[in-house]
Amino acid sequence: LLNGFGVGEAHCGGLAQKAQLKSDWLIALPKGLSARQAMAIGTAGYTAMLCVMALQKHGVVPDSGEVLVTGANGGVGSYAIAILAKLGYTVVAATGRVEEAEYLKALGASEIIDRHSLSEPGKPLAKERWAGVVDSVGSHTLVNACASTKYGGVVAACGLAQGMDLPGTVAPFILRGVTLAGIDSVMRPLKDRIEAWDRLAKVLDANTLDNVATEIGLAQVCDTAQRLLDGQVRGRIVVNVNQL
């Protein structure tokens, strides 16, 4: 199993049937996961688990309060909701596609909020609500999530769908002790990768994977990539490299 290390970016082979890779990049496929299921989880699910691990490392437990997941209809967001819900957390999903509410609730979200409530410039500090946040959006959304995180809460930041700017203040960090945890999935040490994938194999069931992932052939990749950039793709896409 391989994800990250620049494959598909700096190294060829992301959509190939065979690829020449460094053995140091590989980990064993976790027991109980098929190759297709592992790709249904993919880097998105793996990143979501790294975010959850960061929340737990900093003491966020189910009794701590609500956890916000932004970019909820994307791959990271979908799996973050499913993982957190399976672990007993109360999850609030922020999305620009509120018509997907039933999908998000089926994954385990207890409440759906419109992303526009977070995506515009806000106050340096807002009313405390979130015990933890999984953010794949960045920019004003990340800043507003930090501003409304409870004292001592944790925000795991792993994406920049809205932008890579951070137009905020230090107020949440120095007045409420909020932790902003950066989540890198590309160059993560093997120890963390193995832990994350082993936990994914245990917490995600086949029904969840089938609900989140859609399979396509190679001939559909370019069109699907454009739909992804246009924000029209829900969950995860699995590319069957043996099918046109």
Side-chain angles (χ1 to χ4, degrees):
L1 171 62
L2 165 67
N3 62 282
F5 292 114
V7 173
E9 300 165 298
H11 308 282
C12 294
L15 295 175
Q17 291 174 313
K18 293 183 179 180
Q20 185 176 18
L21 304 165
K22 291 184 179 180
S23 59
D24 290 344
W25 295 345
L26 306 176
I27 66 171
L29 187 68
K31 185 177 180 181
L33 278 185
S34 68
R36 186 192 183 283
Q37 288 174 327
M39 290 301 95
I41 294 170
T43 297
Y46 156 71
T47 302
M49 179 56 83
L50 292 176
C51 290
V52 173
M53 288 163 57
L55 299 186
Q56 293 180 327
K57 178 181 178 181
H58 287 88
V60 179
V61 297
D63 288 342
S64 299
E66 296 175 308
V67 176
L68 172 68
V69 175
T70 67
N73 273 298
V76 173
S78 293
Y79 279 123
I81 293 168
I83 294 166
L84 288 163
K86 294 273 188 181
L87 295 175
Y89 291 84
T90 301
V91 186
V92 177
T95 180
R97 289 179 279 169
V98 292
E99 68 275 9
E100 298 283 5
E102 291 306 311
Y103 163 74
L104 297 173
K105 288 181 178 179
L107 292 176
S110 62
E111 182 182 346
I112 314 300
I113 62 174
D114 194 306
R115 72 179 179 197
H116 295 298
S117 64
L118 296 167
S119 61
E120 301 298 325
K123 299 177 180 179
L125 286 176
K127 182 178 179 181
E128 295 180 58
R129 180 171 182 181
W130 318 118
V133 178
V134 175
D135 176 68
S136 60
V137 179
S139 192
H140 290 292
T141 298
L142 174 56
V143 169
N144 288 324
C146 290
S148 53
T149 296
K150 290 182 178 181
Y151 189 94
V154 183
V155 179
C158 65
L160 40 66
Q162 184 179 3
M164 63 187 301
D165 57 324
L166 193 64
T169 74
V170 297
F173 313 116
I174 65 173
L175 297 179
R176 289 185 180 162
V178 171
T179 296
L180 179 57
I183 306 299
D184 165 63
S185 62
V186 178
M187 303 305 294
R188 198 78 175 204
L190 288 178
K191 178 177 177 293
D192 293 346
R193 292 171 179 271
I194 293 169
E195 179 183 353
W197 277 102
D198 284 347
R199 293 186 61 180
L200 286 162
K202 294 172 183 174
V203 76
L204 293 176
D205 56 40
N207 288 335
T208 300
L209 299 180
D210 289 341
N211 192 18
V212 173
T214 302
E215 184 174 316
I216 64 172
L218 284 171
Q220 299 168 273
V221 166
C222 290
D223 288 342
T224 303
Q226 186 59 55
R227 289 178 54 235
L228 179 64
L229 291 172
D230 293 339
Q232 298 173 356
V233 171
R234 183 183 80 180
R236 285 278 299 161
I237 302 294
V238 176
V239 181
N240 185 341
V241 297
N242 299 307
Q243 175 184 315
L244 292 178

